Amino acid sequence: MAHVATPPAPTAPPHRRRAWRDILVGWSFILPNFVGFALFTLLPMLAAFALAFLDWDSYSTPEWVGLENFQQLWADENFHVALRNTLYYAAGHIPLTLVAALGLAIALNRKLRGVAFFRTAAFFPYITSLVAVAIVWNTLFNPTAGPVNQVLEALGVASPPKWVASTDWAMPSVIITSVWRDMGYYMVLYLAGLQTIPKEYYEAARVDGASAWQRFWNITLPCLRPTTFFVIVMLTIQSFKVLDLIVVMTDGGPGRSTLVLAQLVYREGITEGKFGYSSAVALVLFVIVLTVTVVQFRINERRSAR
Amino acid sequence: MTALHDAPPAAARPRPPAAAEDGDRSGGSPIRKALAYLSLTVVTLLVLVPFAWMVSSSLKRDNEVFAIPMQWIPQELRWSNFVEIWDRIPLLTYLGNSAFLSVTITLLQLLTGSFAAYGFSKVRFPGRDALFLAYIATIAVPWQAYMVPQYIMMQQAELTNTYWAIILLQAFGAFGVFLMRQYYMSIPDDLCEAARIDGLSEYGIYWRIILPLSKPALASLALLTFVNTWNDYMGPFIYLTDNELWTVQLGLRSFVGQYDADYAMMMTGAVLSVLPILVIFLVGQRYFIRGIATSGLKG
């Protein structure tokens, strides 16, 4: 979405016959994909809105109930827990991934022989399967004899956290794992952003005697603003819809300590068959993501205007 | 490992000639260079520690995995884990299923995605840009928001517990169209115009000019789609109940549930599930980066 180039408008109004031909030809190209897209993405998306206002279990006939699902939602403690946990996850995942990705990108933005190897290595976690990632991190976080706690004990931490086994530390464990997994992807975006900063800026700053920190603060960060904006938007969308990592790592537990909104949608809708109710949760999730994204775009516009 | 060379060449925008390389001046002192390598190595090792742990544990006995103090190098390397696991779970079936789904979905994405992208970038007709906007908008909508209607549809069509459900839901994604269109926009329209004057039909232009020119973008899309499908967990988790239909991810996950204490075996399975991705990644890493830099959108 960052750079969608729109072609210039045609200068002369095309001939009518030609216009019809273009419509047919254009649609003939789009159709094979569009049929699948309309049927399996667009239609379900629209249906999701309607479903939220229905009372529909997998066995009964659908019935229009208006806002009843949302009233029920408001009183549902699971929903409050899931909402809080989703915000918790986002509040941890977004800033930490951002900082880690930027740090990696700056560290790896050098002209050194073999730097490509280091970049590749940092990117690899991102394309590793979630299940493998979850298995590995769950054992790393093993409360009694896992490497993480062995290291912490060696460093003198008397009673290290119980990580995935504890209600307080399960979410931080998930966040740490997700930051580790995702930072390579955003690092790539930041590397691309860093490459667009003209070298002359740094040279001029050096001549003026700017320190490394001043150069970072006054050149690198401002020049990276478009990238940062894009990264934040993507991270936000990604954070609010977190599901698979939770399902494979903790399945919402222990207790409800890592239950998130997307998981509530899945449980109520697909496991329990409460289609209407779960779609209400889904709609709330969608509205949150939409609102946050729109607000971010607004803030960005205002800042750019200055 | 070769690439991940400097800038991921974003197709849509040309790279400025002078790229920023702050922090390290070319021709710095040897000491500074050594320090730079040292810090890079430390950072990379930290990122890769979980993989090292995975590989080392896969070669241990079960009771060695959580030995105190921990051992990074097992006392004896139990390669037999990699033989035994094939008897414990039907791994070959799982791998085959994952490969089938990944290849099918990748081919369909490439075919319909690049075809549609041509319509969206090289043919002008009313409503085109509005339609494309709808495509982009759906990428930003969390998939979880409409997974239940999708599930109901598949249930009504009696396609749950078949590959059809997964293939139909993933083969026509908007992402492929978006990525290919971004690339096609960078191919000059004059090229198509010249071919049109020479009497080539639109389909001919697509097939004989655009497609051969877009090999890097096709490679990016193919790799991203393949890896995504291979690694997908929720799709198969929701739709596939029969064990014979399971993918590697589902098989591995259920193995964890069933044999909770077989840590070494779990790690062996994890290694085997990651291995195909590692190979594909090393072969085509340039294209991964290119695809991400071009589109910046995924997941």
Side-chain angles (χ1 to χ4, degrees):
Chain A
M1 275 189 316
H3 30 267
V4 185
T6 31
T11 39
H15 194 268
R16 238 174 129 188
R17 200 131 135 233
R18 167 91 203 243
W20 267 109
R21 203 196 64 112
D22 279 353
I23 292 176
L24 283 180
V25 169
W27 272 98
S28 76
F29 274 105
I30 293 166
L31 215 55
N33 188 277
F34 182 74
V35 170
F37 170 75
L39 216 56
F40 303 113
T41 304
L42 220 48
L43 193 68
M45 227 175 252
L46 297 175
F49 282 96
L51 274 176
F53 302 96
L54 296 181
D55 181 23
W56 188 12
D57 292 338
S58 43
Y59 43 88
S60 69
T61 45
E63 192 191 331
W64 187 267
V65 292
L67 294 175
E68 211 170 274
N69 285 327
F70 295 94
Q71 285 164 350
Q72 204 184 328
L73 201 69
W74 195 242
D76 185 352
E77 211 199 317
N78 277 341
F79 173 72
H80 293 274
V81 171
L83 182 61
R84 223 177 305 137
N85 286 342
T86 308
L87 292 173
Y88 183 2
Y89 175 82
H93 182 246
I94 298 170
L96 289 178
T97 311
L98 190 88
V99 169
L102 181 58
L104 273 179
I106 286 173
L108 294 174
N109 187 41
R110 300 166 193 253
K111 276 228 164 63
L112 281 178
R113 192 184 291 272
V115 76
F117 168 80
F118 295 107
R119 289 180 190 170
T120 307
F123 179 70
F124 188 61
Y126 181 70
I127 56 156
T128 313
S129 93
L130 261 175
V131 178
V133 165
I135 292 174
V136 172
W137 278 91
N138 272 346
T139 59
L140 286 173
F141 279 134
N142 185 290
T144 46
V148 172
N149 275 0
Q150 285 204 36
V151 168
L152 285 178
E153 273 166 14
L155 290 174
V157 179
S159 51
K162 298 257 177 271
W163 302 110
V164 277
S166 108
T167 48
D168 287 339
W169 284 94
M171 191 55 100
S173 313
V174 172
I175 292 173
I176 291 170
T177 309
S178 70
V179 170
W180 171 79
R181 191 181 120 88
D182 292 337
M183 61 188 183
Y185 172 75
Y186 295 100
M187 171 197 77
V188 171
L189 298 184
Y190 266 126
L191 276 173
L194 284 171
Q195 305 284 340
T196 64
I197 306 176
K199 210 172 184 165
E200 290 75 32
Y201 290 6
Y202 291 106
E203 275 157 13
R206 267 175 219 273
V207 171
D208 290 348
S211 69
W213 173 253
Q214 283 171 328
R215 290 196 303 268
F216 171 74
W217 195 252
N218 295 317
I219 302 174
T220 312
L221 269 190
C223 288
L224 283 177
R225 231 180 50 82
T227 313
T228 303
F229 169 67
F230 184 60
V231 166
I232 289 177
V233 170
M234 293 313 294
L235 272 172
T236 309
I237 297 174
Q238 197 208 349
S239 293
F240 276 99
K241 65 181 193 181
V242 63
L243 174 61
D244 30 16
L245 186 68
I246 300 272
V247 168
V248 288
M249 246 186 115
T250 61
D251 200 21
R256 290 182 295 193
S257 58
T258 54
L259 177 73
V260 286
L261 284 176
Q263 199 180 8
L264 199 62
V265 177
Y266 167 77
R267 278 193 189 168
E268 295 291 341
I270 291 165
T271 315
E272 304 280 327
K274 292 185 199 160
F275 299 148
Y277 186 62
S278 108
S279 294
V281 183
L283 193 59
V284 172
L285 176 66
F286 170 69
V287 169
I288 294 175
V289 172
L290 188 72
T291 313
V292 175
T293 312
V294 168
V295 167
Q296 284 170 342
F297 268 92
R298 281 278 152 79
I299 294 174
N300 186 53
E301 265 168 28
R302 200 171 300 164
R303 283 228 195 112
S304 309
R306 253 194 280 161
Chain B
M1 290 196 216
T2 46
L4 256 187
H5 285 303
D6 292 330
R13 46 182 169 176
R15 188 183 358 151
E21 296 284 346
D22 193 37
D24 206 270
R25 312 288 293 151
S26 47
S29 70
I31 297 171
R32 280 199 62 166
K33 219 168 207 176
L35 277 176
Y37 274 115
L38 192 70
S39 63
L40 287 189
T41 310
V42 170
V43 168
T44 313
L45 281 180
L46 277 175
V47 174
L48 292 184
V49 153
F51 290 110
W53 168 253
M54 174 175 84
V55 173
S56 119
S57 301
S58 74
L59 294 168
K60 289 177 182 170
R61 289 174 191 286
D62 281 328
N63 55 11
E64 269 181 330
V65 173
F66 289 128
I68 299 178
M70 62 181 155
Q71 297 168 325
W72 283 98
I73 296 159
Q75 280 172 332
E76 55 154 339
L77 298 175
R78 273 180 64 95
W79 294 103
S80 57
N81 284 348
F82 282 87
V83 180
E84 220 177 283
I85 191 164
W86 301 88
D87 298 329
R88 299 283 293 277
I89 48 171
L91 201 56
L92 198 62
T93 313
Y94 298 154
L95 287 169
N97 293 342
S98 283
F100 169 75
L101 275 178
S102 305
V103 169
T104 311
I105 289 171
T106 303
L107 285 178
L108 280 168
Q109 277 265 11
L110 286 182
L111 210 71
T112 69
S114 68
F115 207 54
Y118 184 88
F120 276 127
S121 60
K122 298 295 176 210
V123 188
R124 288 218 178 88
F125 60 92
R128 181 190 76 170
D129 294 340
L131 187 63
F132 185 67
L133 203 64
Y135 265 78
I136 297 180
T138 61
I139 301 182
V141 176
W143 160 74
Q144 284 81 353
Y146 52 96
M147 74 179 160
V148 170
Q150 279 184 335
Y151 183 77
I152 298 171
M153 274 177 70
M154 289 300 158
Q155 215 179 27
Q156 300 288 325
E158 294 183 4
L159 291 177
T160 48
N161 203 25
T162 69
Y163 286 148
W164 282 109
I166 311 274
I167 292 171
L168 290 175
L169 292 184
Q170 295 183 6
F172 305 102
F175 173 71
V177 180
F178 178 75
L179 191 145
M180 292 310 295
R181 179 184 176 273
Q182 287 290 87
Y183 191 84
Y184 289 174
M185 296 303 284
S186 71
I187 300 176
D189 281 346
D190 303 352
L191 213 60
C192 305
E193 216 43 69
R196 263 172 218 138
I197 291 164
D198 288 348
L200 206 56
S201 76
E202 294 295 325
Y203 308 101
I205 298 173
Y206 163 78
W207 185 251
R208 297 188 30 200
I209 296 175
I210 301 292
L211 218 48
L213 277 177
S214 55
K215 272 183 196 144
L218 289 169
S220 293
L221 178 59
L223 290 169
L224 288 170
T225 313
F226 188 94
V227 169
N228 262 351
T229 319
W230 182 276
N231 286 340
D232 183 26
Y233 179 73
M234 284 319 285
F237 179 66
I238 290 174
Y239 287 102
L240 305 177
T241 39
D242 274 355
N243 195 314
E244 303 93 79
L245 295 179
W246 280 2
T247 60
V248 174
Q249 312 303 337
L250 282 184
L252 201 57
R253 178 78 176 102
S254 86
F255 185 68
V256 173
Q258 254 177 312
Y259 305 94
D260 216 4
D262 286 2
Y263 291 108
M265 269 301 162
M266 275 159 41
M267 294 296 186
T268 309
V271 170
L272 286 172
S273 82
V274 171
L275 223 48
I277 294 301
L278 180 66
V279 172
I280 286 175
F281 178 58
L282 291 184
V283 172
Q285 44 178 320
R286 269 186 306 146
Y287 299 107
F288 275 101
I289 306 308
R290 207 173 283 184
I292 286 170
T294 320
S295 64
L297 270 173
K298 208 179 79 72

